[in-house]
RNA sequence: GUCUCGGUAGCUCAGCUGGUUAGAGCGGCGGAUUCAUAGCCCGCAGGUCGCGUGUUCAAGUCACGCUCGAGACACCA
């Protein structure tokens, strides 16, 4: 059994924005966590490359769509490399085997008698080449962009019988674990209760797309193309990829992590399509919130878009990860505030965790010959050992619930408690009395041990920082051994050598 | 217009099925200490818990009304 997690397949109309980074970082962290707990993980990400918008963007640039897609896709790939994303699959919907999977899937759905030719009717803007949502709001029936009068148009499209799956979908979403967070779930329940209508799955005016077999001039519409990327990803590097291969090698997804804007497509359309194709349903769809900046929506028109690459080069990925994962609770909207960002990184990472490591290591080095103290035996029932144990338990519960912010806070609290323990015990006073050296040794060992576990717990959240901590504790982490087992108290080896400490993260300054 | 969610200390938010002096983190102010990255630790912050009415022995916690904010109400993703 593998654990399958997906980001959305990002639309290649433009390079990645902070929102894409956010979603992807969360998935990355969850994927890392699951791997550490011993699960075989398939972490899927990729790009959605078809559609009219891409076609148009490319033609504006005077290149063919494939060239444009290659260019943007490469930027995504490079970005994920820069952010050290640990994905296993990167799907491109313009790839051949994706097309193959879409065709196979289509056949299944057609065999279920869920496809028919119908008429897409609506107000159409020639300028946009699109049907418009609510022209009734405007008495003149004008396109808000082009200010042209809309035409009533009938277009022949293939339709999918979504209506047939009304009760099955109702049943599915009544399970409180399927859609999260619950506020979003209510919206979907409300939407579904009004009755599902069939939706169109092909377009006649879009050449940049996957052709519908046997039907001239029709290409598949986005949802009958992009969503299948999650499936085609699984078998993408097999010799003869097929739908069956994907089904047998991982499908269904354990969690689709997406922005709240595309929840309906993932929680309603997609499951219905899968039911029609006789495939298993994803276990969970999680619609996270959006990011704002200093309390304002980010947008091109406001000119306040935060460039993720700028953040990365200025602050480093660990700082950005910590802010996004720890300070924003998944499901809520999050606000990016520069002052808060700086405060949090300095307080949490530099002062609380970084300085803990530093002060602990230097005491041990100073009083115990640059080594971990040689103590008589490890005691599991000290206050700190118990606190650590409790922290590990909570952390695991939180991570399993995808409450990454709480898990991060668990780690932080352990660091705070460890600092507190030091201040209570005051080994720097005890050491003045030579008879108390063994008692000091025990204290220092406990603190080092707690710090070791803090480092381990940070591994899925902040992989680089975690590694730095491990190095400064003399490299006690053993990759080939179970991570979970190494979270047990008392595994730090006596007398192992401690290198000279240095800051694990640089302090940030206000802009 | 209909529906959903939210409005708690300067900021970000916890407060479950109603019950002692309403909590945390950050910022701010003061103190103690020296192992450490001017750090860690301790103390202080007196917030009409959006507004009003009601239910109750008792409401931030329930009901109704109002107000402000965010969102959903199908093919832009």
């Amino acid at each position: 059994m593998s654990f399958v997690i997906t980001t959305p397949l990002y639309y290649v109309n433009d390079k990645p924005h902070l929102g894409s980074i956010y979603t992807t970082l969360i998935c990355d962290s969850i994927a890392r966590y699951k791997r550490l707990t011993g699960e075989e993980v398939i972490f899927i990400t990729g790009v959605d490359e078809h559609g009219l918008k891409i076609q148009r963007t490319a033609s504006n640039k005077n290149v063919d769509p494939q060239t444009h897609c290659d260019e943007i896709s490469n930027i995504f790939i490079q970005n994920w490399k820069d952010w050290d994303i640990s994905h296993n699959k990167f799907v491109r919907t313009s790839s051949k085997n994706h097309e193959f999977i879409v065709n196979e899937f289509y056949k299944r759905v057609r065999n279920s008698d869920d496809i028919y030719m119908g008429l897409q009717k609506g107000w159409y803007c020639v300028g946009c080449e699109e049907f418009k949502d609510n022209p009734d709001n405007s008495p003149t029936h004008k396109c808000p962009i082009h200010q042209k009068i809309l035409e009533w148009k009938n277009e022949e499209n293939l339709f999918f019988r979504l209506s047939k799956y009304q009760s099955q979908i109702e049943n599915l979403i009544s399970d409180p674990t399927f859609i999260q967070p619950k506020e979003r779930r209510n919206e979907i329940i409300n939407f579904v209760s009004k009755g599902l209508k069939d939706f169109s799955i092909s377009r006649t005016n879009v050449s940049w797309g996957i052709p519908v077999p046997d039907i001239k001039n029709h290409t598949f519409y986005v949802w009958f193309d992009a969503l299948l990327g999650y499936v085609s990803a699984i078998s993408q590097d097999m010799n003869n990829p097929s739908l069956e291969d994907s089904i047998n090698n991982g499908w269904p997804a354990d969690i689709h992590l997406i922005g709240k804007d595309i929840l309906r497509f993932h929680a309603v359309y997609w499951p219905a399509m899968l039911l029609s194709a006789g495939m298993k349903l994803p276990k969970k769809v999680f619609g996270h919130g959006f990011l704002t900046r200093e309390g304002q929506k980010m947008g091109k028109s406001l000119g306040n878009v935060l460039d993720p690459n700028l953040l990365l080069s200025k602050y480093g990925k660990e700082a950005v990860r910590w802010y996004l994962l720890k300070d924003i609770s998944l499901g809520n909207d999050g606000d990016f505030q520069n002052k808060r960002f700086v405060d949090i990184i300095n307080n949490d990472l530099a002062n609380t965790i970084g300085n803990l490591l530093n002060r602990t290591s230097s005491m041990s080095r100073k009083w115990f010959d640059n080594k971990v103290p040689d103590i008589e035996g490890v005691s599991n029932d000290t206050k700190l050992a118990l606190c650590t144990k409790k922290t590990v338990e909570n952390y695991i519960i939180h991570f399993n619930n995808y409450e990454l912010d709480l898990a991060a806070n668990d780690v932080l609290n352990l660091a705070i408690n460890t600092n507190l323990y030091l201040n209570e015990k005051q080994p720097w006073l005890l050491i003045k009395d030579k008879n108390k050296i063994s008692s000091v040794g025990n204290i220092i060992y406990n603190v080092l041990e707690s710090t070791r576990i803090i480092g381990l717990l940070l591994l899925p959240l902040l992989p680089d920082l975690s590694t730095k901590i491990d190095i400064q504790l003399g490299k006690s982490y053993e990759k080939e051994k179970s991570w979970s087992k190494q979270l047990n108290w008392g595994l730090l080896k006596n007398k192992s050598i401690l290198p000279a400490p240095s800051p694990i993260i640089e302090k940030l300054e206000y802009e």
Side-chain angles (χ1 to χ4, degrees):
Chain A
M1 273 302 278
S2 39
F3 178 87
V4 179
I5 179 168
T6 72
T7 73
L9 301 192
Y10 303 107
Y11 206 53
V12 294
N13 209 26
D14 208 346
K15 60 184 186 196
H17 54 266
L18 191 59
S20 331
I21 304 286
Y22 176 56
T23 317
T24 309
L25 285 178
I26 293 162
C27 287
D28 179 65
S29 201
I30 295 170
R32 285 172 188 271
Y33 169 75
K34 290 288 180 183
R35 288 189 196 106
L36 289 170
T37 60
E39 300 209 44
E40 191 184 311
V41 172
I42 305 177
F43 171 15
I44 296 168
T45 185
V47 285
D48 168 19
E49 305 181 282
H50 290 307
L52 191 60
K53 250 186 205 169
I54 304 291
Q55 195 177 311
R56 211 177 283 145
T57 305
S59 94
N60 288 342
K61 282 164 60 180
N62 254 328
V63 297
D64 60 293
Q66 187 66 59
T67 307
H68 167 81
C69 289
D70 289 347
E71 185 193 317
I72 305 283
S73 296
N74 283 332
I75 294 176
F76 269 87
I77 290 168
Q78 184 57 48
N79 265 266
W80 290 174
K81 206 174 274 176
D82 295 342
W83 287 92
D84 205 12
I85 302 301
S86 67
H87 58 275
N88 305 98
K89 310 279 183 183
F90 188 95
V91 211
R92 295 186 55 180
T93 60
S94 67
S95 68
K96 266 290 162 218
N97 65 45
H98 174 72
E99 178 171 343
F100 184 76
I101 297 283
V102 170
N103 282 322
E104 278 200 313
F105 186 84
Y106 171 66
K107 269 181 222 156
R108 284 194 180 210
V109 175
R110 204 178 48 190
N111 287 341
S112 300
D113 191 29
D114 285 333
I115 303 286
Y116 64 92
M117 188 65 83
L119 282 178
Q120 170 85 299
K121 291 176 269 190
W123 293 99
Y124 188 85
C125 170
V126 182
C128 301
E129 296 181 56
E130 272 166 9
F131 288 96
K132 289 295 165 187
D133 279 5
N134 297 311
D136 296 338
N137 292 347
S138 123
T140 52
H141 286 196
K142 275 186 181 173
C143 168
I145 299 165
H146 294 86
Q147 292 303 317
K148 283 183 186 165
I149 293 176
L150 298 172
E151 299 173 18
W152 182 259
K153 190 172 165 180
N154 294 335
E155 182 182 307
E156 230 185 16
N157 283 168
L158 286 175
F159 278 77
F160 170 70
R161 281 189 220 283
L162 180 63
S163 56
K164 185 170 140 187
Y165 296 94
Q166 178 78 31
S167 64
Q168 285 179 80
I169 294 298
E170 277 174 359
N171 190 39
L172 173 69
I173 62 181
S174 70
D175 173 357
T177 64
F178 181 65
I179 299 173
Q180 281 190 333
K182 64 173 194 301
E183 301 87 325
R184 301 278 140 212
R185 179 170 164 253
N186 290 339
E187 286 174 9
I188 299 292
I189 288 175
N190 196 266
F191 168 79
V192 173
S193 71
K194 288 177 179 162
L196 294 173
K197 295 176 193 157
D198 299 345
F199 68 95
S200 64
I201 61 157
S202 75
R203 288 293 122 103
T204 54
N205 56 358
V206 183
S207 60
W208 181 238
I210 298 176
V212 178
D214 309 324
I215 303 179
K216 267 187 197 165
N217 297 329
H218 280 251
T219 53
F220 284 112
Y221 184 54
V222 56
W223 298 115
F224 215 83
D225 171 350
L227 288 167
L228 268 302
Y230 301 138
V231 177
S232 63
I234 293 176
S235 61
Q236 72 173 0
D237 25 68
M238 294 176 184
N239 291 334
N240 294 302
S242 71
L243 196 52
E244 204 57 38
D245 277 341
S246 292
I247 292 169
N248 295 331
N249 289 286
W251 191 257
D254 288 83
I255 177 170
H256 289 307
L257 189 81
I258 53 170
K260 61 186 182 183
D261 52 336
I262 50 175
L263 184 56
R264 196 175 66 227
F265 305 103
H266 285 78
V268 179
Y269 290 28
W270 180 226
M273 286 160 58
L274 289 165
L275 284 168
S276 172
M279 289 172 64
K280 286 190 182 155
L281 305 183
K283 295 187 188 122
K284 188 187 289 295
V285 178
F286 200 127
H288 71 246
F290 285 155
L291 296 176
T292 54
R293 180 181 187 184
E294 311 292 344
Q296 281 201 307
K297 263 185 194 171
M298 275 189 265
K300 281 179 191 155
S301 51
L302 282 164
N304 64 344
V305 178
L306 198 49
D307 179 3
N309 288 327
L310 201 68
L311 283 181
L312 179 61
S313 59
K314 218 155 140 190
Y315 303 120
K317 58 177 181 269
E318 303 296 281
V320 179
R321 279 179 83 109
W322 184 252
Y323 186 84
L324 295 178
L325 299 179
K326 180 257 177 183
D327 210 44
I328 296 168
S329 90
L330 196 56
N332 290 351
D333 285 350
D335 192 33
F336 190 96
Q337 292 175 286
N338 199 267
K339 185 175 186 305
R340 185 163 179 80
F341 178 77
V342 170
D343 285 341
I344 281 192
I345 299 311
N346 288 346
N347 274 297
D348 297 351
L349 300 185
N351 294 346
T352 303
I353 295 174
N355 184 51
L356 170 67
L357 172 68
N358 196 284
R359 69 195 299 212
T360 303
S361 168
S362 43
M363 278 186 276
S364 199
R365 281 167 53 83
K366 192 175 284 182
W367 303 328
F368 298 93
D369 191 26
N370 295 334
K371 290 175 188 161
V372 174
D374 186 13
I375 57 167
E376 291 281 321
V378 178
S379 152
N380 288 308
D381 56 357
T382 60
K383 197 171 156 191
L384 196 55
L386 294 172
C387 176
T388 304
K389 194 174 169 224
K390 191 74 200 152
T391 297
V392 171
E393 285 169 10
N394 288 338
Y395 172 96
I396 286 170
I397 291 169
H398 288 141
F399 234 115
N400 286 339
N401 289 334
Y402 305 116
E403 295 167 315
L404 274 63
D405 58 320
L406 298 184
N409 274 301
D410 289 333
V411 186
L412 185 62
N413 282 324
L414 179 56
I416 289 169
N417 282 316
T418 310
N419 272 318
L420 221 133
Y421 173 86
L422 264 179
N423 280 60
E424 272 173 23
K425 298 292 181 185
Q426 304 189 325
W428 49 89
L429 295 186
L430 297 179
I431 196 68
K432 290 173 180 166
D433 180 348
K434 280 184 184 163
N435 295 322
K436 291 189 175 155
I437 183 81
S438 79
S439 153
V440 170
N442 280 312
I443 294 166
I444 299 300
Y445 181 87
N446 286 341
V447 174
L448 284 168
E449 178 60 352
S450 170
T451 307
R452 179 186 69 87
I453 292 170
I454 288 167
L456 278 187
L457 292 176
L458 285 176
L459 196 47
L461 297 163
L462 307 175
D464 283 6
L465 200 84
S466 170
T467 303
K468 283 185 186 168
I469 293 174
D470 183 51
I471 289 170
Q472 296 200 30
L473 288 176
K475 296 188 186 170
S476 70
Y477 175 56
E478 300 181 66
K479 248 188 183 167
E480 54 295 340
K481 289 192 183 166
S482 154
W483 175 78
S484 307
K485 282 185 185 155
Q486 293 181 69
L487 293 172
N488 286 326
W489 185 263
L491 298 179
L492 186 63
K493 288 200 182 74
N494 288 358
K495 297 201 288 187
S496 47
I497 292 172
L498 295 171
S502 69
I504 49 172
I505 191 161
E506 269 181 56
K507 287 199 186 179
L508 308 181
E509 287 179 17
Y510 297 131
E511 298 226 305

